């Protein structure tokens, strides 16, 4: 897996460093996006170096097309990346070369005409309200870890926060919110964009229990101390990966299928709001989407749900099978 830049010529490493700095400082990309760009471009530049390329000026469009085929599984005898991963990698390469062109490093952008794979629209999977209830109610509340997990799940479902946003919270971020019933919780999304979300009574009660009866005993295990709201069993800040593991472990215990993902509670939050009659613009603001078209995918989920309910509940949703008599009201 690419991670080291040792095999990349110094000139290419400098362009990569400057590009990532520009994306972080000027474009406001999130740390997770920067990390993804670094991985994708390290893989790309290492591949170029293996072909003897030491300068971006010599890279051609056929080179990038060949690299895209390689990512998709052509030419090296290995399985390719998922189409979404290939598409992301192609975008990273295209914007990298665009940066080099804008900085006067290269006369043009050889990746400009290289299109990524066509992606089908993948609908987000939301849990049913009953499944969310089983997930959260199944967490024991008599241990520090149980109190933490309950507070984390209530926060994720109650606010629609991304896991990265939840684990990035500090105690000070919620300390002033809990006593005030109408106060909103500040979350910082992609590009450090701030939004205010309501904090419901269930999430409020779970957070208070965690802060009073759970967190102190776990924080005491670390000499360094931490301002983090959610901490691990060693007293340090809970990582995004550990939070994902908490969700998966609790889902398995609740008998919820393997399709659960880090965004499952966020998807459920949005879908259940729309099912309950919330305006899509309100849901957009709560999720922190820059464009309402991103939020509109959840309306497709609710339409699919309506179709499923109709198909299973309405007596005339399907034609009567041959050999079976139709019944009706005379």
């Amino acid at each position: 897996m690419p991670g080291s830049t040792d095999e990349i010529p110094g000139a290419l490493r400098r362009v990569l460093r400057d590009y990532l700095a520009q994306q972080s400082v000027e474009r406001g990309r999130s740390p997770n996006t920067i990390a993804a760009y670094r991985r994708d471009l390290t893989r790309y530049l290492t591949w170029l170096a293996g072909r003897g390329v030491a300068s971006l000026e010599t890279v051609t469009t056929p080179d990038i097309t060949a690299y895209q085929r390689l990512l998709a599984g052509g030419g090296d005898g290995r399985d390719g990346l998922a189409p979404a991963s290939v598409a992301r990698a192609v975008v990273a390469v295209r914007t990298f070369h665009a940066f080099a062109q804008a900085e006067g490093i290269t006369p043009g952008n050889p990746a400009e005409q290289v299109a990524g794979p066509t992606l089908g629209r993948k609908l987000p999977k939301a849990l049913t309200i009953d499944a969310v209830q089983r997930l959260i109610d199944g967490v024991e509340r008599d241990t520090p870890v149980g109190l933490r997990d309950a507070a984390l799940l209530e926060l994720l479902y109650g606010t629609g926060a991304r896991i990265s946003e939840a684990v990035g919270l500090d105690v000070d971020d919620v300390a002033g919110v809990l006593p005030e019933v109408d106060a909103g919780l500040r979350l910082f999304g992609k590009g450090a964009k701030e939004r205010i979300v309501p904090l419901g009574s269930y999430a409020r009660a779970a957070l208070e229990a965690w802060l009073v009866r759970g967190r102190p005993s776990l924080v005491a295990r670390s000499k360094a101390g931490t301002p983090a709201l959610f901490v691990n069993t060693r007293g340090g800040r809970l990582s995004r990966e550990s939070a994902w593991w908490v969700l998966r472990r609790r889902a398995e215990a609740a008998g919820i299928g393997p399709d659960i993902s880090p965004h499952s509670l966020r998807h459920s939050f949005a879908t259940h709001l729309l099912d309950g009659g919330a305006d899509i613009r309100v849901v957009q603001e709560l999720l922190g989407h820059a464009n309402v078209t991103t939020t509109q995918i959840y309306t497709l989920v609710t339409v699919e749900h309506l179709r499923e309910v109709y198909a299973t509940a309405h007596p005339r949703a399907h034609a009567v099978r041959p050999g079976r008599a139709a019944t009706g009201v005379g």
Side-chain angles (χ1 to χ4, degrees), residues 287-304:
L287 292 175
H289 287 160
N291 196 313
V292 72
T293 57
T294 308
T295 318
Q296 283 173 337
I297 192 170
Y298 291 103
T299 65
L300 300 178
V301 176
T302 59
V303 169
E304 286 296 317

Side-chain angles (χ1 to χ4, degrees), residues 6 26 130:
D6 294 344
E26 297 181 22
D130 176 68

Side-chain angles (χ1 to χ4, degrees), residues 5-290:
T5 60
D6 294 344
E7 300 177 22
I8 302 173
L12 299 185
R13 284 204 306 271
R14 285 190 292 274
V15 180
L16 174 60
R17 178 198 62 204
D18 294 345
Y19 167 77
L20 293 175
Q22 183 241 22
Q23 291 292 308
S24 176
V25 177
E26 297 181 22
R27 298 296 178 88
R29 305 296 188 195
S30 71
N32 292 335
T33 299
I34 295 299
Y37 280 174
R38 180 180 287 108
R39 287 192 300 271
D40 288 335
L41 292 172
T42 297
R43 180 195 291 117
Y44 170 61
L45 295 178
T46 300
W47 178 80
L48 287 179
R51 292 165 64 97
V53 175
S55 170
L56 291 180
E57 295 181 2
T58 64
V59 178
T60 65
T61 298
D63 288 334
I64 299 172
T65 301
Y67 177 68
Q68 180 183 357
R69 285 199 302 268
L70 180 69
L71 292 179
D76 67 349
R78 294 181 298 177
D79 292 335
L81 300 178
S85 297
V86 176
R88 187 195 67 202
V90 170
V91 169
V93 169
R94 188 183 303 125
T95 57
F96 177 68
H97 279 284
F99 168 80
Q101 180 185 13
E103 293 294 307
I105 299 169
T106 60
N109 181 353
E112 189 172 9
Q113 301 303 321
V114 179
T118 301
L119 301 178
R121 171 169 275 188
K122 185 177 181 182
L123 297 181
K125 291 202 171 205
L127 302 177
T128 64
I129 294 177
D130 176 68
V132 172
Q133 189 89 30
R134 285 188 286 114
L135 173 68
I136 297 176
D137 289 352
V139 180
E140 75 284 356
R141 314 244 175 161
D142 56 356
T143 67
V145 170
L147 289 167
R148 180 202 64 193
D149 292 358
L152 176 64
L153 297 179
E154 288 280 15
L155 179 68
L156 291 172
Y157 179 61
T159 66
R162 301 175 178 90
I163 278 188
S164 57
E165 294 170 346
V167 299
L169 287 170
D170 290 338
V171 172
D172 288 347
D173 294 325
V174 302
V177 175
L178 295 181
E180 303 293 333
V181 175
D182 296 327
L185 178 65
R186 288 195 313 161
L187 294 175
F188 294 90
K190 295 181 177 180
K193 183 180 177 183
E194 179 183 337
R195 71 185 187 278
I196 307 294
V197 296
L199 192 64
S201 60
Y202 286 91
R204 192 183 302 274
L207 283 169
E208 288 177 336
W210 157 240
L211 288 173
V212 174
R213 296 190 285 117
R215 185 179 181 277
S217 64
L218 293 187
V219 171
R221 300 177 184 181
S222 171
K223 295 180 180 179
T226 177
L229 174 61
F230 294 110
V231 299
N232 56 35
T233 55
R234 298 182 302 278
R237 183 180 293 274
L238 188 71
S239 69
R240 185 177 59 168
E241 292 75 17
S242 295
W244 161 217
W245 183 81
V246 167
L247 174 60
R248 184 170 59 184
R249 181 167 64 91
R250 295 300 182 178
E252 290 176 353
I256 298 172
D259 291 337
I260 199 163
S261 75
H263 261 21
S264 291
L265 291 179
R266 179 171 164 87
H267 295 326
S268 304
F269 167 83
T271 302
H272 297 164
L273 278 174
L274 290 169
D275 282 342
D279 184 88
I280 191 169
R281 292 286 183 179
V282 173
V283 178
Q284 175 193 356
E285 289 296 323
L286 292 173
L287 292 175
H289 287 160

